[in-house]
Amino acid sequence: MLNHITKAVPNLFTIGNLLCGVLSITFNMSGFFQAASILIFISAILDLFDGRIARRLKVNSEFGVELDSLADIVSFGVAPALIFHSLASSSILASLAFFLFPTMGALRLAKFSVQPTIGYFQGLPIPAAGLPLAGMGLFLYSNAWITLILALLMVSPIRVKKL
């Protein structure tokens, strides 16, 4: 029984991450952009701990990794993109940025899922890309160029050291 609870602990953090992402989308749709942004930052804190807890408890699993990726696309891909879209002016560039941000995030996560574990990430991790958009949302600001650059950095060949 205790073993089942121990195995569930990291996944509860991941579910909390996902819940915050979904709530962020809901708050955004109601016009509470700053609250939506804060929820993304809370998602990041939960995301930071789920993997560390799994490694510390020695309960890593493929299920946990995949669940984390699914939560991350919502919390750091779709939710920040929706905040950006809600605050951005209507333009072709803003529409392109809105589409590309979660798309590049999904590609980045898929690539991470099939890549062997190495000492660095290739491309900007999706939380590191989503948090600046959430930060802009705190100040009710949006910038399509920054959003596009962040989207492209996620699928770039740059190496980012793992924490």
Side-chain angles (χ1 to χ4, degrees), residues 1-11 53-54 57-59:
M1 173 81 170
L2 184 59
N3 190 33
H4 290 296
I5 294 170
T6 303
K7 286 182 179 182
V9 170
N11 292 337
I53 290 170
L57 295 175
K58 296 181 172 101
V59 292

Side-chain angles (χ1 to χ4, degrees), residues 1 3 22 24 26-28 47-48 90 111 134 156 161 163:
M1 173 81 170
N3 190 33
V22 170
S24 173
T26 304
F27 275 73
N28 179 66
D47 185 53
L48 185 66
S90 294
K111 184 178 181 180
S156 74
K161 186 178 178 181
L163 295 176

